């Protein structure tokens, strides 16, 4: 077994090279700081990749989700059924529409929204269903689409994923991606919205930018946002797109190293990955069962930090966070999500890491486990 690292291993650093730096410099020299030809090219290249009729580049994954809901007419009095195991942005955008998030418990296996529990939460006020492709595993989209209301898929973790052979981006009414610094395609900030619905694409196009258009001086047809993707960031995304397949192979290999490393660790269980789907290998999440692993998730986080291995938590259940707890005091307990929130631990995976870095982290986890269970 290797010894303790001498430098701290970052959790998920971006893999940025000279090519991205050069692309930014070139963009700045071109004079296009805001949205221009590079944002348009990014959309053009991603259409065939995502197998979607329309791809719209926006300022963040949050903006993509927000604009999708507004475009679908979600407003005050409406409900949107969503997963509590997600980044709070997924639920925040429902609040920003003046609608109510209805949290549905998740499946034990992969912590995506439990399709067996969703029907009981769908009613007359349900304007959309908003599943999350947690860690890169698509939610059970067929079951959700069969229920009727439009499905807005939070695929912030799932750019490369396929669900039952079909490309994520081509399945739900609207699919939203993030280009945030840690994501598989990282521009720093940014988002993408994919849809094959012309009405939704038109509405989002009209709302993402407030700008001069049409004849005369200018006009305003709908109250727009400022949610466009600047070319400086699109330039980074275009280079990252060229590297996506190579980076994806590195992440898949690191997942395999983790799978092998945790296979015999009592009480440390990775989230399930459905063999019928193609996982996007975004986050390697394990659950730490304190009864069998000898310590709690938080004790594992601290012990790994002492080993100079950074970790993260994806996610604390949104309905238990202060805003949602105080706004919805009648929220029933969500048993699976709440236990998962105490147990999930995300381990380092990044194309910026060498395999030996990940092997260091695997050994650190094995040492910590041996100590806690010994
Ligand atoms: C599951 C999920 N949804 C939505 C978002 C929001 O994306 P962004 O940070 O690009 O706004 C994130 C993370 O950043 C996320 O992890």
């Amino acid at each position: 077994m290797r010894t303790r690292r001498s430098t701290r291993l970052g959790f998920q650093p971006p893999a940025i090279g000279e090519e991205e730096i050069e692309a930014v410099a070139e963009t700045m020299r071109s004079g296009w700081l805001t949205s221009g030809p590079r944002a348009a090219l990014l959309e053009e290249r991603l259409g065939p990749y995502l197998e979607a009729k329309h791809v719209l580049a926006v300022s963040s994954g949050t903006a993509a989700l927000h604009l999708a809901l507004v475009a679908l007419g979600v407003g005050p009095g409406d409900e949107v059924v969503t997963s509590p195991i997600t980044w709070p942005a997924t639920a925040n955008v429902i609040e920003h529409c003046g609608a109510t998030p209805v949290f549905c418990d998740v499946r034990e296996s992969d912590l995506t929204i439990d399709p067996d529990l969703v029907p009981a939460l769908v009613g007359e006020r349900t304007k959309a269903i908003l599943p999350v492709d947690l860690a890169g595993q698509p939610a059970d989209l067929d079951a959700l689409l069969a229920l009727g209301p439009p499905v807005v898929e939070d695929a912030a973790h799932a750019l490369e994923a396929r669900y039952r052979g079909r490309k994520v981006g081509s399945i739900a009414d609207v699919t939203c991606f993030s280009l945030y610094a840690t994501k598989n395609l990282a521009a720093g900030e940014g988002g993408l919205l994919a849809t094959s619905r012309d009405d939704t694409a038109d509405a989002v196009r009209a709302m993402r930018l407030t700008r001069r258009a049409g004849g005369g001086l200018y006009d305003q047809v709908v109250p727009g946002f400022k949610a466009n993707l600047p070319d400086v960031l699109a330039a980074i995304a275009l280079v990252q797109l060229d590297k996506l397949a190579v980076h994806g192979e590195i992440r898949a290999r690191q997942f395999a190293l983790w799978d092998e490393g945790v296979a015999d660790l009592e009480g440390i269980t990775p989230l399930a990955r459905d063999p019928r789907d193609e996982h996007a290998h975004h986050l390697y999440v394990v659950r730490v069962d304190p009864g069998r692993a000898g310590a709690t998730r938080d004790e594992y986080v601290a012990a790994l930090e002492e080993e100079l291995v950074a970790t993260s938590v994806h996610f604390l259940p949104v309905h238990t966070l202060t805003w949602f707890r105080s706004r919805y005091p009648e929220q029933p307990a969500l048993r699976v999500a709440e236990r998962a929130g105490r147990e999930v631990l995300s381990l380092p995976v990044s194309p910026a890491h060498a395999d030996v870095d990940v092997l260091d982290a695997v050994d650190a986890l094995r040492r910590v486990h041996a100590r806690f269970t010994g």
Side-chain angles (χ1 to χ4, degrees):
M1 203 183 264
R2 317 166 115 73
T3 51
R4 183 174 177 273
R5 287 178 63 85
S6 56
T7 57
R8 186 170 185 270
L9 186 69
F11 168 65
Q12 205 174 33
I16 295 293
E18 286 307 312
E19 301 83 358
E20 284 86 349
I21 294 168
E22 185 47 42
V24 168
E26 201 182 296
T27 306
M28 297 186 79
R29 285 189 206 104
S30 80
W32 269 110
L33 296 183
T34 184
S35 308
R38 287 164 187 81
L41 181 60
L42 183 67
E43 293 176 343
E44 209 178 287
R45 285 185 58 189
L46 281 161
Y49 177 75
L50 296 172
E51 298 174 19
K53 186 170 174 194
H54 307 280
V55 174
L56 297 168
V58 292
S59 54
S60 66
T62 307
L65 290 164
H66 187 197
L67 291 176
L69 295 183
V70 176
L72 290 170
V74 176
D78 295 333
E79 293 179 352
V80 177
V81 179
T82 194
S83 167
I85 296 293
T86 185
W87 184 239
T90 314
N92 289 346
V93 296
I94 301 170
E95 294 283 327
H96 291 321
C97 291
T100 303
V102 175
F103 294 106
C104 177
D105 211 349
V106 291
R107 307 193 271 215
E108 196 75 57
S109 58
D110 61 7
L111 305 183
T112 63
I113 198 166
D114 188 335
D116 294 338
L117 302 179
V118 177
L121 300 175
V122 171
E124 266 172 25
R125 293 170 64 199
T126 309
K127 213 50 188 279
I129 301 173
L130 208 177
V132 178
D133 299 337
L134 186 71
Q137 167 61 51
D140 194 352
L141 298 170
D142 280 340
L144 300 174
L145 283 161
L147 297 174
V151 172
V152 175
E153 182 181 356
D154 182 340
H157 299 178
L159 186 72
E160 301 107 308
R162 283 184 175 269
Y163 169 81
R164 314 288 195 267
R166 285 170 287 156
K167 184 72 196 79
V168 163
S170 72
I171 306 165
D173 292 83
V174 187
T175 311
C176 298
F177 302 92
S178 166
L179 307 179
Y180 179 66
T182 58
K183 297 297 188 280
N184 291 1
L185 195 148
E189 299 288 353
L192 300 165
L193 183 149
T195 183
S196 292
R197 288 176 57 152
D198 294 336
D199 56 344
T200 308
D202 289 346
V204 171
R205 220 176 260 119
M207 284 187 297
R208 74 173 157 179
L209 195 54
T210 303
R211 70 167 161 205
R212 293 168 182 267
L217 268 178
Y218 57 84
D219 193 13
Q220 184 70 66
V221 183
V222 289
F225 295 90
K226 200 72 201 298
N228 49 305
L229 183 73
D231 260 26
V232 175
L233 298 178
I236 303 174
L238 282 165
V239 178
Q240 289 266 301
L241 188 55
D242 292 335
K243 299 180 177 178
L244 190 64
V246 171
H247 283 175
E249 280 168 25
I250 297 172
R251 282 185 278 99
R253 206 165 63 228
Q254 295 178 356
F255 264 58
L257 295 177
W258 277 118
D259 278 347
E260 203 183 318
V262 303
D264 63 343
L265 296 187
E266 180 73 16
I268 306 282
T269 314
L271 296 190
R273 307 196 293 276
D274 194 321
R276 292 170 294 182
D277 302 331
E278 279 178 39
H279 198 276
H281 300 122
H282 179 56
L283 293 168
Y284 194 88
V285 179
V286 295
R287 294 184 61 171
V288 179
D289 174 354
R292 294 188 297 136
T296 63
R297 184 269 315 280
D298 295 344
E299 288 166 327
Y300 268 85
V301 168
L304 286 166
E305 192 56 56
E306 272 175 35
E307 293 269 353
L308 300 181
V309 173
T311 59
S312 191
V313 169
H314 300 86
F315 287 104
L316 300 176
V318 175
H319 68 287
T320 66
L321 303 178
T322 300
W323 163 268
F324 293 95
R325 224 182 38 232
S326 51
R327 188 159 168 83
Y328 303 105
E330 308 295 317
Q331 168 71 46
L334 300 173
R335 194 184 50 80
V336 180
E338 286 165 31
R339 192 157 59 79
R342 293 188 293 274
E343 294 185 354
V344 282
L345 172 67
S346 303
L347 299 163
V349 167
S350 166
H353 291 330
D355 289 0
V356 289
D357 292 321
V358 174
L359 288 170
D360 280 347
V362 168
D363 282 352
L365 177 64
R366 295 183 66 82
R367 257 196 310 276
V368 166
H369 183 269
R371 202 169 78 227
F372 282 140
T373 55

